[in-house]
Amino acid sequence: MKQLKFAATLLIGMILPMTSLGMSSIDSRVMMKPVLTLAAAKEIASAAEAEARAHSWRVSIAIVDDSGRLLYFQRMDDTTNASVDIAIAKAQHAANYRRDTKFHQELLENGNHVVLTLPASMPLEGGLRLMVDDRVVGGIGVSGAQAAEDGQIAKAGADWLAK
Protein backbone atom coordinates (compact mmCIF):
# COMPACT_ATOMS: atom_id res chain seq x y z
CA MET A 1 0.00 0.00 0.00
CA LYS A 2 2.87 2.33 0.83
CA GLN A 3 4.36 1.70 -2.62
CA LEU A 4 1.04 2.50 -4.31
CA LYS A 5 0.69 5.75 -2.35
CA PHE A 6 4.27 6.70 -3.24
CA ALA A 7 3.63 5.97 -6.94
CA ALA A 8 0.43 8.05 -6.89
CA THR A 9 2.24 10.94 -5.16
CA LEU A 10 5.05 10.74 -7.70
CA LEU A 11 2.60 10.73 -10.61
CA ILE A 12 0.68 13.72 -9.25
CA GLY A 13 3.99 15.50 -8.67
CA MET A 14 4.78 15.01 -12.35
CA ILE A 15 1.33 16.04 -13.62
CA LEU A 16 0.91 19.27 -11.63
CA PRO A 17 3.95 20.97 -13.21
CA MET A 18 2.74 19.85 -16.68
CA THR A 19 -0.67 21.43 -16.13
CA SER A 20 0.88 24.69 -14.97
CA LEU A 21 2.84 24.71 -18.25
CA GLY A 22 -0.35 24.38 -20.26
CA MET A 23 0.12 20.64 -20.90
CA SER A 24 -3.26 19.64 -19.48
CA SER A 25 -3.91 16.19 -20.86
CA ILE A 26 -5.96 15.42 -17.76
CA ASP A 27 -9.38 17.02 -17.69
CA SER A 28 -12.99 16.12 -17.06
CA ARG A 29 -12.96 13.59 -19.92
CA VAL A 30 -10.51 11.25 -18.23
CA MET A 31 -9.98 10.04 -14.70
CA MET A 32 -7.04 8.99 -12.61
CA LYS A 33 -7.07 5.50 -11.12
CA PRO A 34 -4.79 3.43 -8.94
CA VAL A 35 -2.91 0.67 -10.75
CA LEU A 36 -1.70 -2.58 -9.24
CA THR A 37 2.07 -2.95 -9.64
CA LEU A 38 4.06 -6.14 -10.08
CA ALA A 39 5.82 -5.46 -6.77
CA ALA A 40 2.46 -5.23 -4.98
CA ALA A 41 1.21 -8.37 -6.73
CA LYS A 42 4.24 -10.30 -5.47
CA GLU A 43 3.60 -9.10 -1.90
CA ILE A 44 -0.08 -10.08 -2.13
CA ALA A 45 0.89 -13.54 -3.37
CA SER A 46 3.50 -13.85 -0.63
CA ALA A 47 0.92 -13.06 2.07
CA ALA A 48 -1.46 -15.60 0.55
CA GLU A 49 1.29 -18.22 0.35
CA ALA A 50 2.16 -17.68 4.02
CA GLU A 51 -1.46 -18.42 4.95
CA ALA A 52 -1.45 -21.57 2.82
CA ARG A 53 1.84 -22.78 4.30
CA ALA A 54 0.58 -22.15 7.85
CA HIS A 55 -2.11 -24.78 7.18
CA SER A 56 -0.04 -27.07 4.93
CA TRP A 57 -2.32 -26.35 1.96
CA ARG A 58 -0.75 -26.57 -1.50
CA VAL A 59 -2.31 -24.11 -3.93
CA SER A 60 -1.90 -22.03 -7.04
CA ILE A 61 -2.18 -18.25 -6.62
CA ALA A 62 -3.03 -15.85 -9.45
CA ILE A 63 -3.05 -12.07 -9.37
CA VAL A 64 -4.69 -10.12 -12.23
CA ASP A 65 -4.98 -6.41 -12.96
CA ASP A 66 -8.28 -4.52 -13.15
CA SER A 67 -8.89 -5.76 -16.70
CA GLY A 68 -8.46 -9.39 -15.67
CA ARG A 69 -5.05 -9.82 -17.30
CA LEU A 70 -2.57 -12.03 -15.48
CA LEU A 71 -0.01 -9.96 -13.61
CA TYR A 72 1.59 -12.60 -11.35
CA PHE A 73 1.21 -16.33 -10.82
CA GLN A 74 2.77 -18.91 -8.55
CA ARG A 75 2.14 -22.60 -8.07
CA MET A 76 3.23 -24.30 -4.88
CA ASP A 77 4.91 -27.69 -5.13
CA ASP A 78 2.66 -30.73 -5.45
CA THR A 79 -0.61 -28.91 -6.10
CA THR A 80 -3.08 -30.24 -8.65
CA ASN A 81 -2.72 -29.50 -12.35
CA ALA A 82 -6.27 -28.17 -12.55
CA SER A 83 -5.57 -25.59 -9.83
CA VAL A 84 -3.58 -23.50 -12.32
CA ASP A 85 -6.47 -22.67 -14.64
CA ILE A 86 -8.99 -22.47 -11.79
CA ALA A 87 -6.91 -19.94 -9.81
CA ILE A 88 -6.53 -17.73 -12.87
CA ALA A 89 -10.26 -18.01 -13.67
CA LYS A 90 -11.20 -17.08 -10.08
CA ALA A 91 -8.96 -13.99 -10.17
CA GLN A 92 -10.35 -12.93 -13.56
CA HIS A 93 -13.92 -13.44 -12.36
CA ALA A 94 -13.35 -11.21 -9.32
CA ALA A 95 -11.79 -8.43 -11.41
CA ASN A 96 -14.14 -8.63 -14.39
CA TYR A 97 -17.41 -8.89 -12.45
CA ARG A 98 -16.12 -6.67 -9.65
CA ARG A 99 -17.51 -9.20 -7.20
CA ASP A 100 -15.91 -11.90 -5.12
CA THR A 101 -16.52 -15.35 -6.58
CA LYS A 102 -18.30 -16.42 -3.39
CA PHE A 103 -21.11 -13.95 -4.23
CA HIS A 104 -21.96 -15.87 -7.40
CA GLN A 105 -21.38 -19.24 -5.70
CA GLU A 106 -24.02 -18.35 -3.10
CA LEU A 107 -26.48 -17.25 -5.81
CA LEU A 108 -25.96 -20.59 -7.51
CA GLU A 109 -26.38 -22.52 -4.25
CA ASN A 110 -29.68 -20.70 -3.71
CA GLY A 111 -31.01 -21.96 -7.04
CA ASN A 112 -30.17 -18.99 -9.26
CA HIS A 113 -28.87 -21.09 -12.15
CA VAL A 114 -28.63 -18.09 -14.46
CA VAL A 115 -25.16 -17.67 -12.91
CA LEU A 116 -24.07 -20.61 -15.07
CA THR A 117 -24.69 -18.51 -18.19
CA LEU A 118 -22.30 -15.71 -17.18
CA PRO A 119 -19.42 -15.63 -19.68
CA ALA A 120 -15.97 -16.55 -18.38
CA SER A 121 -17.17 -16.98 -14.82
CA MET A 122 -15.95 -19.18 -11.98
CA PRO A 123 -18.65 -19.10 -9.27
CA LEU A 124 -16.53 -20.92 -6.70
CA GLU A 125 -15.10 -19.35 -3.54
CA GLY A 126 -11.44 -18.37 -3.71
CA GLY A 127 -11.51 -15.29 -5.95
CA LEU A 128 -11.49 -11.85 -4.35
CA ARG A 129 -11.45 -8.30 -5.65
CA LEU A 130 -8.34 -6.33 -4.82
CA MET A 131 -9.42 -2.88 -3.68
CA VAL A 132 -7.70 0.48 -3.23
CA ASP A 133 -9.78 3.47 -2.13
CA ASP A 134 -13.03 1.64 -2.94
CA ARG A 135 -11.85 0.90 -6.50
CA VAL A 136 -11.15 -2.52 -7.95
CA VAL A 137 -7.50 -2.64 -9.01
CA GLY A 138 -7.41 -6.38 -9.71
CA GLY A 139 -8.24 -9.78 -8.38
CA ILE A 140 -6.64 -12.68 -6.56
CA GLY A 141 -7.58 -16.28 -7.26
CA VAL A 142 -6.55 -19.31 -5.24
CA SER A 143 -7.15 -22.96 -6.01
CA GLY A 144 -5.93 -26.28 -4.70
CA ALA A 145 -7.57 -26.64 -1.29
CA GLN A 146 -11.27 -26.72 -0.36
CA ALA A 147 -13.19 -23.68 -1.66
CA ALA A 148 -13.55 -22.10 1.81
CA GLU A 149 -9.83 -22.64 2.42
CA ASP A 150 -9.02 -21.08 -0.97
CA GLY A 151 -11.11 -18.11 0.14
CA GLN A 152 -9.21 -17.86 3.43
CA ILE A 153 -5.89 -17.86 1.57
CA ALA A 154 -7.08 -15.25 -0.94
CA LYS A 155 -8.30 -13.05 1.93
CA ALA A 156 -4.82 -13.10 3.49
CA GLY A 157 -3.45 -11.75 0.21
CA ALA A 158 -6.18 -9.13 -0.20
CA ASP A 159 -5.71 -8.05 3.42
CA TRP A 160 -2.05 -7.23 2.70
CA LEU A 161 -3.20 -4.66 0.14
CA ALA A 162 -5.86 -3.24 2.46
CA LYS A 163 -3.44 -2.36 5.25
Side-chain angles (χ1 to χ4, degrees), residues 30-139:
V30 296
M31 58 191 281
M32 300 286 288
K33 67 178 185 176
V35 176
L36 191 61
T37 65
L38 177 60
K42 288 178 179 180
E43 292 290 341
I44 293 164
S46 179
E49 180 185 359
E51 180 68 17
R53 288 196 185 283
H55 298 281
S56 299
W57 296 327
R58 296 177 308 276
V59 296
S60 291
I61 302 166
I63 311 293
V64 299
D65 64 16
D66 66 335
S67 66
R69 298 294 183 190
L70 188 61
L71 183 59
Y72 186 76
F73 178 83
Q74 68 182 50
R75 179 181 180 188
M76 296 173 68
D77 294 337
D78 199 32
T79 190
T80 64
N81 294 332
S83 71
V84 173
D85 293 329
I86 295 169
I88 294 169
K90 286 179 180 182
Q92 290 172 330
H93 179 121
N96 290 336
Y97 286 100
R98 305 221 180 310
R99 295 209 183 260
D100 299 339
T101 55
K102 185 176 180 180
F103 172 83
H104 287 115
Q105 176 183 323
E106 289 173 349
L107 287 177
L108 187 58
E109 289 171 346
N110 291 324
N112 192 341
H113 295 142
V114 73
V115 170
L116 296 174
T117 67
L118 297 174
S121 68
M122 181 56 68
L124 185 61
E125 186 174 356
L128 297 177
R129 297 165 292 168
L130 296 172
M131 308 286 292
V132 172
D133 298 330
D134 295 324
R135 294 189 55 97
V136 175
V137 296

